[in-house]
Amino acid sequence: MFCLSSSFRSPQWLPKIHCSSSPNYKVASSVTTTTTTTQNNVSIPKIVKSVKSLAESPDLTSVPSSYNFTTEVSNILDKELLEEEEVEFPTIDFSLLTSGTPNQRSEVINELTKACETWGFFMVTNHGVSETLMDAVFDGSRRFFELSDEEKLEYKGNNLIDPIKCGTSVNPMLDKVFYWRDFLKTYVHPEFHFPTKPPGYRETVFEFCQRTREVFLGISEAISESLGLEANEIYKRLNLDSGLQIFTANLYPPCPQPDLALGLPPHSDHGFLTFLIQNGVDGLQIQPNGKWYNVKGVPYSFLVNSGDQLELLSNGRYKSIIHRVVVNREKARISVAMANGPSLETVVSPAPELVENNRPVYAATKYKEFIELQKSNEIFGKGVLDRIRL
């Protein structure tokens, strides 16, 4: 069994992260590519093995048409809606939730309420996850993306919910235009699945998942209280003991024409809360009120956004946030997202205590079906939530 020795000790309320000794890796022997055009003497395939390979093509000076959103999808960039003025985003001091005075904890919970109601987004500082560990995760992610395309094909994955999946864009079979992004996505809870390459990456991510999960569960307790529920109510209703946790490493290489491309489309996350860290290069934008805001991350903080399951459970009181990723010309951006959600078999419904006049906003939906519905369609906006709205 793959279990790591560590000085980290989980508190009693933190469920044990199970380990899989032999994850069911999906191995692909080949990738089919169809050449559609030649640009600047560079052949541009319909489905490329990686954006990294494309971006490193020495003769590439402009964005291929298959990545150009200005010609293929109108209004997706919404440049006129970008708020240029910097704003101060809500910041949650995690240490005050875990070791502060009762008054300090109450104040932080009030701040969390405002953040979830107004922004659907907040930063978490003083969370106890070391900078050294975060740097090691970035280094491992960089080394993974530096593997040859042939080596990464071992983890290609063929199904929507394969436990390990490496690829490019979002869903090349459905995307009308490709996104300037390569990714590694793995299921790390309730069972831990992860590649064995490069050396040491798997062990580093395992420890990072443990420590991040502790922060997630602490924030979930506070959100539960902010909604007027018992501290452990969300934990019980979403069956977080066996809740789904997904680790995603994203690479956004330098782009020759960043104004024409996107790293990720405007969308909300299907889970409950997503925790994000980044390598010092910004690119995340959020849309809480119809305008886009650039997120300037505090170094080594968690950038946290509300997901669809929080909006569903809170009966619309807390909104999942629409967000997207923009790219730049100079620097590669690496981000690591930890998506946290209910167990796959949990049927999520609005909490009865939050339903006024017996009128729920959303229909009860099994989380697994919610994910499958999102993954089988082009990712954009809040498509699944809109479908289950009553």
Side-chain angles (χ1 to χ4, degrees):
M1 172 174 284
F2 173 73
C3 286
L4 301 178
S5 59
S6 172
S7 59
F8 172 71
R9 294 181 179 272
S10 302
Q12 290 185 353
W13 51 266
L14 177 63
K16 179 181 179 181
I17 292 187
H18 303 288
C19 306
S20 175
S21 57
S22 56
N24 295 320
Y25 296 150
K26 303 294 184 180
V27 180
S29 58
S30 63
V31 169
T32 300
T33 59
T34 304
T35 300
T36 58
T37 185
T38 300
Q39 178 174 313
N40 300 327
N41 297 319
V42 179
S43 294
I44 306 301
K46 175 62 177 174
I47 299 177
V48 298
K49 291 182 179 180
S50 71
V51 172
K52 181 176 182 295
S53 298
L54 175 61
E56 292 175 350
S57 302
D59 297 321
L60 185 71
T61 58
S62 60
V63 170
S65 60
S66 54
Y67 291 86
N68 189 333
F69 280 89
T70 61
T71 59
E72 299 294 335
V73 182
S74 62
N75 300 324
I76 190 173
L77 298 178
D78 291 332
K79 295 179 182 179
E80 71 280 2
L81 298 180
L82 179 62
E83 178 60 60
E84 298 292 346
E85 184 177 340
E86 289 192 16
V87 298
E88 185 174 341
F89 296 105
T91 300
I92 302 301
D93 187 333
F94 187 71
S95 66
L96 297 182
L97 284 176
T98 58
S99 56
T101 66
N103 285 340
Q104 287 174 323
R105 178 178 172 82
S106 179
E107 289 177 4
V108 173
I109 289 176
N110 287 336
E111 293 171 3
L112 199 53
T113 301
K114 295 175 184 177
C116 291
E117 287 181 337
T118 305
W119 290 96
F121 172 86
F122 51 91
M123 299 186 193
V124 177
T125 59
N126 297 323
H127 42 67
V129 181
S130 74
E131 296 179 6
T132 300
L133 180 57
M134 288 185 172
D135 284 337
V137 171
F138 289 131
D139 179 67
S141 300
R142 176 187 56 78
R143 289 186 293 120
F144 178 85
F145 289 119
E146 287 177 350
L147 295 174
S148 67
D149 286 336
E150 288 69 26
E151 288 179 287
K152 286 180 286 191
L153 278 179
E154 182 179 350
Y155 309 108
K156 176 178 176 286
N158 296 309
N159 300 310
L160 292 176
I161 56 175
D162 279 341
I164 298 179
K165 191 170 185 178
C166 171
T168 190
S169 192
V170 176
N171 187 343
M173 303 306 296
L174 293 177
D175 297 336
K176 294 185 177 69
V177 183
F178 297 144
Y179 298 95
W180 202 262
R181 168 216 189 208
D182 293 334
F183 68 88
L184 167 66
K185 180 177 293 186
T186 74
Y187 286 20
V188 294
H189 192 273
E191 291 187 346
F192 185 82
H193 301 269
F194 211 77
T196 57
K197 303 174 185 178
Y201 188 30
R202 179 183 176 105
E203 291 80 1
T204 296
V205 169
F206 182 87
E207 183 180 358
F208 177 73
C209 292
Q210 282 188 311
R211 294 178 182 269
T212 303
R213 185 168 171 77
E214 179 181 1
V215 181
F216 159 64
L217 292 175
I219 293 291
S220 296
E221 280 192 351
I223 288 179
S224 191
E225 292 182 55
S226 75
L227 289 169
L229 306 173
E230 295 295 325
N232 64 346
E233 197 64 31
I234 285 178
Y235 183 90
K236 292 189 299 183
R237 293 191 183 188
L238 299 186
N239 294 310
L240 293 183
D241 180 58
S242 55
L244 183 64
Q245 186 180 34
I246 303 174
F247 171 97
T248 304
N250 302 292
L251 172 66
Y252 306 97
C255 178
Q257 293 176 297
D259 290 342
L260 305 183
L262 272 178
L264 279 177
H267 70 284
S268 61
D269 291 342
H270 58 68
F272 185 75
L273 290 176
T274 300
F275 284 60
L276 183 88
I277 60 174
Q278 56 186 15
N279 67 334
V281 180
D282 295 322
L284 177 66
Q285 294 182 341
I286 62 174
Q287 190 182 42
N289 54 14
K291 290 186 176 182
W292 287 107
Y293 295 84
N294 289 309
V295 175
K296 302 291 184 181
V298 175
Y300 298 106
S301 66
F302 281 113
L303 310 180
V304 183
N305 63 269
S306 304
D308 292 341
Q309 302 310 303
L310 177 54
E311 180 165 340
L312 200 169
L313 181 137
S314 69
N315 201 39
R317 177 178 171 184
Y318 292 169
K319 305 294 186 183
S320 59
I321 183 69
I322 297 289
H323 56 287
R324 68 184 181 185
V325 174
V326 296
V327 293
N328 74 84
R329 189 187 304 272
E330 292 82 20
K331 296 181 180 180
R333 178 175 185 258
I334 293 178
S335 68
V336 171
M338 297 292 292
N340 304 274
S343 71
L344 286 173
E345 298 303 319
T346 297
V347 176
V348 183
S349 61
E353 299 90 333
L354 305 177
V355 176
E356 297 180 0
N357 301 320
N358 199 31
R359 292 182 178 177
V361 176
Y362 299 107
T365 307
K366 182 182 289 189
Y367 186 43
K368 181 179 181 180
E369 295 173 355
F370 194 102
I371 294 176
E372 290 173 343
L373 189 58
Q374 187 193 64
K375 298 300 182 184
S376 61
N377 292 273
E378 186 179 14
I379 178 173
F380 200 89
K382 294 188 181 184
V384 181
L385 272 181
D386 292 339
R387 291 191 182 196
I388 65 172
R389 188 184 297 272
L390 298 175

